[in-house]
Amino acid sequence: MPDRGGGPTGPRIRVGRPSRRVRTLLMTLGVLAVLAMVFVMFAGFWTDWLWYRSVNYSSVFTTTLWTKIGLFLVFGLLMAASVGVNIWLAHRLRPPLSAMSTEQQNLDRYRMGIAPYKKWILLGLTAIVGLIAGASAAGQWRTWLMWVNGVAFGKKDPQFGLDVSFFAFDLPWYRFLLGFGFATVVLSLIAAALTHYLYGGLRVTSPGGRATAAATGHLSVLLGIFVSLKAIAYWLDRYGLAVKSSDFKATDNWTGLRYVDANAYLPAKTILFFIAAICAVLFFATLWRRTWQLPVIGFGLMVLSAVLIGGLYPAIVQKFQVQPNEQAKEAPYVEKNLQATTEAYGIADINVTDYPGKSNTTDKAKLRQDADKAASMRMIDPNVVSPTFQQLQQMRNYYAFPANLDVDRYKGPDGKEQDTVIGLRELDLNGIPKNNWINDHFRYTHGYGVVAAKGTEATPGGSPVFTESDLPSKGTLGDYEQRIYYGEKTTQYSIVGGPQSEIDYSDDKGEKTTRYKGDSGVNLSNPLNRAAYAVAFGEPQILYSGAIGDGSRILYNRVPKERVEAVAPWLTIDGDAYPAVVDGRIQWIVDAYTTTNGYPYASRTTLGDTTADSLTERNNQRAVVAQQNQVNYIRNSVKATVDAYSGEVKLYQWDTQDPVLKTWMKAFPDTVQPKSEISPLLMDHLRYPQDLFKVQRELLTRYHVGDADAFLSGSEVWQVPDDPTNRSGKAVPPYYLSMRMPDQKDQAFSLTTTFTPNGRDNLSAFMSVNAEAGTSDYGKISILKMPSAETIDGPKQVQSKFNSDTAIAEKIRLLRGGDSEVEYGNLLTVPLDGGLLYAEPVYVRGGGLKYPLMRRVLVTYDGKTAFEPTLEKALNVVFGAEKASPPEKPETNEPQPPGETPTEPPGNADPTVQEALEEAQLAFDDGQQAMKDNDWKAYGEAQTKLKDALKRAEEAQQKADEGADGKPAGKPDEEPSGASSDKPADKPARGA
């Protein structure tokens, strides 16, 4: 009978060895390979450390690093020790002699084969499981920091009476420990069982007992620990019911206990806890009884109880108690969910008021006056006019504007605040004359200047009215640092400040150069730093290039949202960072959120889905940067700024009551500045964030009701309408504009949206939030609820009626003449004297210009629609102040362009004449704009269209005159009223 611990015997066969030279070469190559791998890992670590130190957030790096290292070591060693000890113990408890059987004889081969390498195999296995477990635990650094630094919410859950912090901070950590415990026990049990089997402690086919007493005791203890952990799991599952999600009443993410949870699952979990505890004791008792009879019976009872008590019983309760009287049974739990959800998302104090949706005011003059006071209608759509900014203000091909511009507030020359569309002229490397390493990273390093335009006005030609423009930019914003080293389009590194000069900007006198004078970035004068970045960026030229010298600094991580996320990895970042000129600097303002997934009874939402709309569909850069995609608590707790020149990141505490932010401020002290540090100039540009508003409006489609009966009936469910101005099929984005709600005396900068009934297109409600930071009503959400018994047109219906109106459709057809394209701007909704005023700008990409110019404005109120060249005229027509008329010659102070000028429309022109004159007006406007842009090809095309349109107008007028009098037109005694001669006086003259 072979010994259990013996190894093979007999002479050893010597195998030929390679020569010393070969061995030396192989050893050298191996050492070099190891050193290269080590340096690559070191380069990543070192460059990260240098970057965090350069932005003065080194504490974030060290805290995160040491937390990960600590968790890796502790849990990695625990796992390795547990598995290793159990393998060692199983080997030590092996029987001294094996039974004579075929099974054991086969196993002898394996025992003899591994005998010389037992220690190495043991170390290898434990190291592997330890590394895996340690890496998994290191990923829980957020969970650990929230548990160890958790701050009380000051609110208790309605079921267990525990502070919300237990569910948000404690329960996730306990669940991780429980999961780690299960993994440890299962791996230890498998390793011990295999070891016992290999060395004869467990037998499958051998005669006699299937397990030795030692193996029975060892495995029973491990099974007892497993069942003990299961008992703990049952106990924690009781609390987990408060944050459990389920499908309920067309709500995919309902969270919290329902009737069946409180009256079936909760007692079942308690009973199963005690059964599992008893079963664990029976397993431990095998140390003395040396039999598995009672533990197996207990384990079977536990499994049967889990099926009957934990599965069948709740199903019976749901079927026979809840379903026959669901409304009454579920109402108390729905009330808890309503309260918790509205508190968790900051929508508990919304102001819902009834609103007729139709005006009873008959005084048209008063309505016209009130329309001017109701809102500053933003006719320049920031999501449409970026190509216009690009064409008129790009100046050089290596500059570009973001696809979606931003809306902010700035004071005009009269000192009054006005809504302003703003964008930065950022660097676009795709437009530089020649791409090479020097140009891409040394010469072209930054953008230049702010471009801003009035949000409520356009020139007669349809262009924005710029308040800040040209290069260098000048206008109403005063003096400020115009260089933009950090921006949304600045996605790659630049090396600045060294011997290589940078292109600053170009003017009529040629290129201007500069050198970066800030202290941002990492100094490359250190050879170690250069080598590390050469490896980290995969660019060996960083190591030896002569363009790098004293003072050279490398700038990277330059996108504002990514920069804030890096210094505060515990924050969720809003999708829309926007620029503002603050105290002589361009500052990127970034809204950031604290979230948790553990607020009891609060229903969950998926941030990626909830914040998606027609804009994020077209521009992925506007997507939220979420640390945790599914959440049931959110606060806009931090306002962050990123300096466009220096890259300096500042975090300001915005929500001073948020316990989640307080927890993170304990974990990362001195990283968030108090709210009092926000300057008044910065406060003027802070606003209510879009992504938070979108999350809240999605929740309010169901949670605007005040009682459980209305929620359960589902009759009041709303939906966010699709964007009616395009065919994306995505939700309409919320819009910023200055407006006045019915209960307000003055306009306030607001964020607005609309709701429609579920599955229908008529209007259910209008929602607005005061977005003006620093005011007493900031964050106040108001909802105007339309009467359910009447049909009020929603945005899609308004757009549909607009598109189907024959007169407007004909005008649209004229706008589309030639190769022009029509594009609809934001459809704005404004409450006005009991009714709703809709306004929408219409843009045309005409001729060869291929960028949008505002040509018409649609205004609809109380069933009356106008489609006119300006907002003022459209409002006048809607409210009866004047009649609709063909467009007039554009009012402009600019010199008349060479070529043709359009005619004035006759006072009683035939519709065909009006159409031709409108085409002439559009052609004239296109010619003016083309001349400004020095686009002479487009100018020639416009002049040709102008001639054709004027000729058609003249011919149509002559036919109309002949039809009216039965005589040829043109004789003095037969002139139609309004004509001055037999030859049109305003016929164009040939120009240069």
Side-chain angles (χ1 to χ4, degrees), residues 779-815:
K780 178 184 177 182
I781 297 176
S782 299
I783 293 181
L784 302 179
K785 186 179 178 183
M786 306 299 140
S788 57
E790 298 184 40
T791 301
I792 310 297
D793 285 347
K796 191 173 181 179
Q797 292 173 321
V798 169
Q799 189 73 40
S800 178
K801 289 183 178 180
F802 161 51
N803 294 337
S804 60
D805 186 288
T806 55
I808 294 176
E810 181 60 24
K811 292 180 179 181
I812 290 292
R813 185 189 67 78
L814 293 174
L815 291 176

Side-chain angles (χ1 to χ4, degrees), residues 621-634:
Q621 287 186 337
R622 294 180 69 92
V624 64
V625 182
Q627 299 295 338
Q628 190 176 28
N629 199 26
Q630 270 224 333
V631 302
N632 67 351
Y633 171 94
I634 186 170

Side-chain angles (χ1 to χ4, degrees), residues 72 76 79-81 83 120-134:
F72 178 86
M79 178 64 79
V83 174
W120 293 109
I121 293 174
L122 178 62
L123 290 175
L125 286 174
T126 55
I128 290 172
V129 296
L131 289 172
I132 295 173

Side-chain angles (χ1 to χ4, degrees), residues 521-707:
V522 177
N523 196 323
L524 291 179
S525 59
N526 186 331
L528 177 61
N529 292 355
R530 293 176 66 169
Y533 279 103
V535 171
F537 290 170
E539 182 49 70
Q541 293 187 78
I542 295 177
L543 186 61
Y544 55 78
S545 174
I548 301 176
D550 291 339
S552 291
R553 310 183 71 85
I554 185 167
L555 312 181
Y556 62 104
N557 244 15
R558 300 163 72 184
V559 177
K561 290 196 303 182
E562 296 174 359
R563 205 165 175 83
V564 173
E565 184 199 14
V567 302
W570 33 273
L571 289 174
T572 292
I573 310 301
D574 189 90
D576 184 26
Y578 61 98
V581 177
V582 180
D583 197 20
R585 312 284 289 193
I586 300 174
Q587 299 283 353
W588 288 97
I589 299 175
V590 183
D591 285 288
Y593 311 108
T594 46
T595 62
T596 182
N597 196 26
Y599 198 101
Y601 272 101
S603 290
R604 288 182 172 84
T605 187
T606 304
L607 292 180
D609 296 337
T610 307
T611 58
D613 58 25
S614 61
L615 295 183
T616 58
E617 179 77 4
R618 292 180 289 172
N619 184 4
N620 290 332
Q621 287 186 337
R622 294 180 69 92
V624 64
V625 182
Q627 299 295 338
Q628 190 176 28
N629 199 26
Q630 270 224 333
V631 302
N632 67 351
Y633 171 94
I634 186 170
R635 289 289 185 273
N636 176 212
S637 53
V638 172
K639 301 284 188 180
T641 62
V642 178
D643 192 291
Y645 181 79
S646 68
E648 181 183 19
V649 181
K650 290 184 178 179
L651 307 176
Y652 297 99
Q653 182 183 17
W654 184 246
D655 189 333
T656 57
Q657 304 301 317
D658 178 29
V660 181
L661 177 60
K662 292 179 180 179
T663 296
W664 287 117
M665 289 175 68
K666 281 182 63 179
F668 297 96
D670 303 324
T671 57
V672 180
Q673 300 183 33
K675 187 176 183 178
S676 58
E677 293 296 315
I678 299 177
S679 69
L681 292 175
L682 176 59
M683 185 70 75
D684 289 341
H685 296 282
L686 300 182
R687 68 189 191 189
Y688 201 83
Q690 290 189 50
D691 283 341
L692 175 60
F693 185 74
K694 286 188 280 188
V695 169
Q696 290 172 328
R697 75 172 178 177
E698 180 64 29
L699 267 295
L700 285 170
T701 59
R702 301 182 304 276
Y703 286 89
H704 62 278
V705 298
D707 60 88

Side-chain angles (χ1 to χ4, degrees), residues 310-538:
L312 184 60
Y313 174 62
I316 293 173
V317 171
Q318 178 69 25
K319 180 70 175 179
F320 295 101
Q321 291 189 30
V322 177
Q323 290 184 5
N325 192 17
E326 187 176 41
Q327 196 91 352
K329 296 290 187 182
E330 300 288 13
Y333 303 96
V334 172
E335 292 286 355
K336 296 175 184 179
N337 178 271
L338 286 171
Q339 181 179 354
T341 301
T342 55
E343 288 175 354
Y345 290 94
I347 52 177
D349 298 324
I350 60 172
N351 181 28
V352 180
T353 57
D354 292 330
Y355 191 73
K358 294 182 179 179
S359 176
N360 295 320
T361 305
T362 57
D363 187 347
K364 298 293 186 180
K366 180 180 182 302
L367 283 173
R368 178 64 185 89
Q369 293 176 356
D370 290 345
D372 288 334
K373 299 176 183 178
S376 299
M377 291 292 190
R378 182 171 41 72
M379 294 293 99
I380 302 300
D381 187 345
N383 305 309
V384 173
V385 299
S386 178
T388 308
F389 273 51
Q390 186 81 0
Q391 182 69 26
L392 303 182
Q393 289 295 318
Q394 179 187 24
M395 303 303 181
R396 294 293 182 269
N397 288 337
Y398 48 82
Y399 293 132
F401 292 91
N404 302 100
L405 304 178
D406 290 290
V407 178
D408 203 347
R409 297 142 293 154
Y410 288 89
K411 291 183 178 178
D414 57 359
K416 294 182 179 179
E417 280 195 348
Q418 61 186 13
D419 291 358
T420 301
V421 176
I422 186 172
L424 299 189
R425 191 184 288 111
E426 295 189 45
L427 178 68
D428 181 10
L429 290 177
N430 293 323
I432 67 175
K434 184 178 181 180
N435 287 100
N436 55 54
W437 191 63
I438 293 296
N439 278 348
D440 291 354
H441 300 287
F442 291 83
R443 294 281 289 165
Y444 296 90
T445 59
H446 59 279
Y448 208 98
V450 172
V451 176
K454 294 182 179 180
T456 55
E457 296 182 31
T459 67
S463 301
V465 178
F466 292 108
T467 58
E468 186 81 10
S469 59
D470 300 331
L471 185 68
S473 294
K474 51 185 176 291
T476 61
L477 299 184
D479 295 330
Y480 59 95
E481 174 56 67
Q482 298 199 19
R483 297 172 182 87
I484 303 162
Y485 283 88
Y486 295 85
E488 292 181 312
K489 288 183 171 294
T490 318
T491 56
Q492 67 176 16
Y493 70 89
S494 288
I495 298 175
V496 299
Q500 180 68 58
S501 62
E502 310 163 43
I503 292 178
D504 205 18
Y505 65 91
S506 300
D507 58 15
D508 295 337
K509 298 179 181 179
E511 288 185 346
K512 307 291 184 182
T513 60
T514 187
R515 280 187 174 84
Y516 184 69
K517 297 179 177 61
D519 58 358
S520 181
V522 177
N523 196 323
L524 291 179
S525 59
N526 186 331
L528 177 61
N529 292 355
R530 293 176 66 169
Y533 279 103
V535 171
F537 290 170

Side-chain angles (χ1 to χ4, degrees), residues 261-276:
D261 296 311
N263 295 277
Y265 281 111
L266 187 58
K269 297 292 184 183
T270 305
I271 294 171
L272 289 171
F273 163 76
F274 288 107
I275 292 175

